[in-house]
Amino acid sequence: TLLWAVRRTAFRHFCGGESLEECIDAASHLAASRVRCIVDWSIEEDENEASWDVNAQRKVEVLHKASAALGHNAAFVPIKLTALVSPSLLERITRAEQDAPGPDAAVGDPSAGLSADD
C-alpha cells in the first residue's frame, strides 16, 4: 500500500534508517562524500506532564548514542519542544510575545496572565 511505496522510494532518499544502527551505516557512506546527517528522532506533542520528562530523558539518551556513534558526521539534532513542555503553554507564550509592545515600551510583570500551573 502507500507505506510500502514510500519505504521503497522517498524513504530511502530522505531517511538513513529506522534504527540508529541503520543510520550509522548511512552516515558512514555519506561521510565519504563529505555529507553530514541530521539526526531526527521525533516524538509527538502531549498534554501529559509525565510524558514530558520521559520524552526529555529519551531525547538525551538518543543524543548521547548519536554523538558516540556518529561524532562529527551528525550536523545537528532538531528538538520538538511540544514533546518536552505543554503545547498550550507554548501557544500562550507565543500569543503573549505577539501581543507584547515593542522594545521601547515600558516592561511590566513578565508573569502576568500565567497561572500557578505554568
Side-chain angles (χ1 to χ4, degrees), residues 24-107:
I24 291 169
D25 291 340
S28 297
H29 178 74
L30 292 169
S33 299
R34 295 185 172 183
V35 175
R36 295 172 65 202
C37 299
I38 299 169
V39 179
D40 190 0
W41 171 72
S42 295
I43 45 180
E44 295 305 314
E45 66 183 47
D46 198 335
E47 287 290 346
N48 178 355
E49 188 174 345
S51 296
W52 306 330
D53 292 335
V54 171
N55 290 344
Q57 183 58 42
R58 290 176 65 196
K59 191 66 161 186
V60 167
E61 290 170 12
V62 167
L63 289 170
H64 286 295
K65 288 179 182 179
S67 176
L70 301 174
H72 68 280
N73 290 333
F76 66 90
V77 176
I79 296 176
K80 187 174 184 178
L81 291 179
T82 55
L84 304 177
V85 297
S86 168
S88 60
L89 173 60
L90 293 173
E91 289 172 3
R92 290 195 312 262
I93 291 170
T94 299
R95 280 194 301 276
E97 192 274 333
Q98 291 170 341
D99 295 341
D104 297 330
V107 176

